[in-house]
Amino acid sequence: MDAITAIAPTRVRINRLLPYWAVFQADLKATFNSWIYRVWLLLSLGVLVGYLLYRFGARHIAGMIQSAPDTMGDLMHWVIYGSLTLIIAITAGAICSERGSMADSILCRGISRYQYFLGKWHARLVLILGTFFVKNILAMIGAYFLLHSEAITIHGSLVAMLVVASMLVFVITFGVSVSAMSSNTLVSIAVVWMTIYGGGFLLAQLPSIIPSPERALQALPNVIKGFYDWNALSRTMLISLGVSLGTAMVGMFYFARRDV
């Protein structure tokens, strides 16, 4: 009598991070190909190149002494105030702009709302912060060689970029969170815009002992030179990152319980 050998069923290993990774990749590609991101990128690069060439011409043609740290401080300051509206437009419509197809994306497939939110949030963080760091590294190199300044320090430049990046983290996080709680893209953009600019103005009026984005931005030239108080700057960055994390938690849990 032949022995009957039972064939064990093949065990399929389920990757629970695959839905998150799919949302992350899809949103990263879609945002990169969006016209708003490209306008922000081209506008930022145009201002960067034009401002460096202007300072270069003022130094070598008009004989005006140009400070590379002041130039970089102005450029980083512009990133926050000049292009902030475009960054808000990129982030504030991350989720609510897809409200019509959101039910098909989340409820009819194996994608949880938490994974959907995290994928959208992290994709915008990676793309915007990655673009910011690449542009500013190129600007630092250009300012160093075009203006022939020895005042730029590597550690000061890195700290300055981290300070601005921590502020951008909050703007991106707040934009995506409001988008998750809103049903209209224009309303989401308006709420984020008024909150960011209004909150920045109010913080600037408070006593100097309280960390303020405006005071941190005004100190960027000295930070780039290497003259900075690490404890004060690290406290400002930690507050920004802590508020960003809290905002993301509120937006994610609200989105998980709302109707789509």
Side-chain angles (χ1 to χ4, degrees):
M1 183 175 179
D2 297 333
I4 300 176
T5 57
I7 301 177
T10 304
R11 189 173 183 179
V12 180
R13 186 175 181 179
I14 300 176
N15 186 356
R16 299 187 182 278
L17 292 178
L18 187 60
Y20 159 81
W21 183 245
V23 173
F24 176 85
Q25 287 182 310
D27 191 71
L28 191 67
K29 182 178 180 181
T31 307
F32 182 81
N33 293 327
S34 66
W35 67 269
I36 300 179
Y37 171 78
R38 294 186 177 184
V39 168
W40 173 60
L41 179 61
L42 293 176
L43 187 62
S44 301
L45 290 176
V47 170
L48 187 153
V49 174
Y51 194 58
L52 287 178
L53 290 178
Y54 165 75
R55 288 297 186 101
F56 176 78
R59 177 185 178 91
H60 291 273
I61 296 177
M64 299 172 59
I65 299 177
Q66 303 294 317
S67 171
D70 290 339
T71 301
M72 291 309 307
D74 291 341
L75 288 174
M76 289 188 182
H77 210 140
W78 181 87
V79 167
I80 293 295
Y81 288 101
S83 63
L84 194 59
T85 300
L86 289 175
I87 296 176
I88 291 174
I90 294 172
T91 58
I95 296 178
C96 60
S97 62
E98 300 179 356
R99 180 177 169 83
S101 59
M102 196 180 299
D104 293 335
S105 301
I106 300 175
L107 301 180
C108 300
R109 301 179 184 179
I111 303 176
S112 71
R113 297 191 185 188
Y114 297 107
Q115 290 176 322
Y116 190 87
F117 179 91
L118 290 174
K120 291 282 187 178
W121 177 36
H122 292 163
R124 307 287 164 129
L125 281 174
V126 169
L127 184 60
I128 295 176
L129 292 180
T131 304
F132 165 75
F133 278 109
V134 170
K135 288 189 303 180
N136 278 275
I137 290 174
L138 294 177
M140 291 288 182
I141 296 174
Y144 180 82
F145 286 103
L146 289 178
L147 302 180
H148 302 289
S149 176
E150 302 293 337
I152 295 180
T153 61
I154 295 178
H155 62 90
S157 301
L158 293 176
V159 171
M161 285 190 286
L162 288 176
V163 170
V164 179
S166 66
M167 299 179 188
L168 290 178
V169 168
F170 172 73
V171 175
I172 298 167
T173 303
F174 187 65
V176 175
S177 299
V178 172
S179 177
M181 295 185 286
S182 176
S183 301
N184 186 281
T185 302
L186 293 179
V187 173
S188 178
I189 293 175
V191 169
V192 176
W193 192 90
M194 289 187 295
T195 303
I196 294 297
Y197 279 94
F201 174 78
L202 291 177
L203 287 175
Q205 309 307 314
L206 296 177
S208 58
I209 191 174
I210 299 177
S212 168
E214 176 61 27
R215 285 188 284 271
L217 291 175
Q218 290 178 352
L220 287 180
N222 289 329
V223 174
I224 296 173
K225 295 175 185 177
F227 307 121
Y228 56 86
D229 183 356
W230 172 249
N231 291 329
L233 292 179
S234 61
R235 184 168 60 252
T236 302
M237 289 186 285
L238 287 176
I239 291 174
S240 178
L241 295 177
V243 174
S244 300
L245 182 60
T247 304
M249 297 294 290
V250 172
M252 183 171 61
F253 284 115
Y254 183 89
F255 177 66
R257 287 162 175 78
R258 64 168 296 187
D259 294 331
V260 295

